[in-house]
Amino acid sequence: MYYVELLINGVLVGTLYALIALGFVLIYKATDAINFAQGEFVMFAGYVLAASLQLYGFPLVWALFFGFTAMILMGYLVERVVLQHLIGRPVVAVIMATIGLAAFLQGLAPFLWGPETKNVPLPIPQEPVFVGEILLSQIELYAALVALGSIGVFGLFFNKTRTGVALRAVADDQQVSLAMGINVKLYFAMAWAISGIVATVGGVVWGNLLGVDIQLALVGLKVFPVVILGGLDSIVGALVGGIIVGVVESLAAGFLDPLVGGGTKDFTPYVLMVLVLMFRPYGLFGKEIIERV
């Protein structure tokens, strides 16, 4: 039964990883660039929510409204002020801009609200629940449901709506999209605003689980193996990759840590990432790109 508990907890944590990975995937699907500031987006959203609840005394509903509004506006402004000037430029220019943005947010959040660790309290009991003989965390159960719902909604958005199809077209070729009359700047701004929404959901979940400080941004680096494993442009891949990484971490902690003294769960996802890059560099569900040379 202990091994079943490890497996289930790994699946739950994996869905939370998938939620953060979803932010990477959405930006890549819409702009064909990797947002290395996604972890900082989650951190900043957590700061906004924690400050709204603890410093400003907002009720939870109003704190969520303020958080979503602030992150949508921030995503929009990031695209308007910085990234729109990089349309048509090499992808590496956008990547470097997101790295600079990450460093900026790392300094801005503690400057505005202080470096102390804060929390995002939610009206969910902290006591675990038993399902048969299996011990499960209530917050992880609710968070997994939220993550699955978010992934389902955005999957339908990209595949079933005109806006989602237009975002995918912009990512495939910006110049051709401009020639076809698609407002590339508008759709870029929309993609970053959507990324802000995902970051806010992640800030709620991870801010409650880990607390909010600048270390929360490391969750973006932690889920990078999830993105590589599932495929940078696959929403389903984000979910499957998240579950695989979560299960691998949980099993490593349960089987290997007692043998070597701990720490294996921190590097096993990266070993898995390297293996995937060696044999399937576009991921399990990623689109294989074939170029004529």
Side-chain angles (χ1 to χ4, degrees):
M1 194 59 66
Y2 171 69
Y3 307 120
V4 176
E5 185 175 319
L6 284 177
L7 185 64
I8 293 176
N9 283 320
V11 171
L12 293 177
V13 173
T15 57
L16 306 188
Y17 288 157
L19 179 61
I20 307 300
L22 181 62
F24 284 99
V25 171
L26 292 178
I27 290 296
Y28 189 83
K29 284 179 73 71
T31 66
D32 203 31
I34 300 173
N35 176 21
F36 283 98
Q38 188 61 36
E40 281 71 19
F41 267 50
V42 174
M43 175 205 70
F44 198 86
Y47 264 104
V48 171
L49 291 163
S52 299
L53 291 167
Q54 295 185 335
L55 300 181
Y56 308 142
F58 287 4
L60 179 61
V61 173
W62 282 105
L64 290 172
F65 175 79
F66 181 64
F68 278 111
T69 303
M71 294 307 297
I72 290 171
L73 181 61
M74 190 179 81
Y76 178 81
L77 289 176
V78 164
E79 198 284 330
R80 292 283 92 177
V81 174
V82 180
L83 298 174
Q84 71 164 325
H85 304 293
L86 301 178
I87 292 177
R89 302 289 180 86
V91 173
V92 67
V94 180
I95 292 174
M96 294 306 297
T98 63
I99 293 174
L101 175 63
F104 173 74
L105 293 177
Q106 282 268 10
L108 180 62
F111 173 77
L112 293 175
W113 295 294
E116 301 83 6
T117 301
K118 299 171 178 61
N119 191 28
V120 181
L122 298 175
I124 299 174
Q126 298 295 319
E127 296 78 14
V129 294
F130 283 91
V131 179
E133 298 181 7
I134 301 173
L135 185 67
L136 299 175
S137 165
Q138 292 193 58
I139 181 61
E140 289 184 0
L141 285 171
Y142 284 106
L145 291 176
V146 170
L148 290 173
S150 300
I151 291 168
V153 167
F154 285 109
L156 291 174
F157 171 77
F158 269 98
N159 290 293
K160 301 297 182 181
T161 67
R162 292 175 61 89
T163 302
V165 173
L167 284 168
R168 290 160 57 196
V170 168
D172 285 338
D173 197 310
Q174 298 171 16
Q175 300 299 333
V176 171
S177 298
L178 283 169
M180 295 296 292
I182 296 176
N183 190 335
V184 173
K185 291 183 178 180
L186 174 63
Y187 282 103
F188 264 36
M190 188 179 300
W192 282 89
I194 292 171
S195 178
I197 294 175
V198 176
T200 307
V201 178
V204 172
V205 173
W206 285 99
N208 180 270
L209 288 172
L210 301 179
V212 179
D213 53 29
I214 61 172
Q215 299 302 316
L216 184 60
L218 294 177
V219 72
L221 182 62
K222 192 172 180 63
V223 303
F224 203 67
V226 173
V227 183
I228 299 301
L229 179 61
L232 276 166
D233 60 346
S234 174
I235 292 176
V236 173
L239 177 60
V240 175
I243 291 174
I244 291 174
V245 169
V247 169
V248 167
E249 276 193 355
S250 183
L251 294 179
F255 287 100
L256 299 180
D257 278 3
L259 299 177
V260 300
T264 58
K265 64 174 293 185
D266 295 324
F267 69 81
T268 47
Y270 296 96
V271 174
L272 187 62
M273 181 182 73
V274 171
L275 292 175
V276 170
L277 287 172
M278 290 172 58
F279 298 104
R280 197 176 177 88
Y282 45 87
L284 297 177
F285 295 89
K287 179 174 64 177
E288 184 175 5
I289 299 174
I290 302 175
E291 296 182 355
R292 181 177 297 174
V293 297

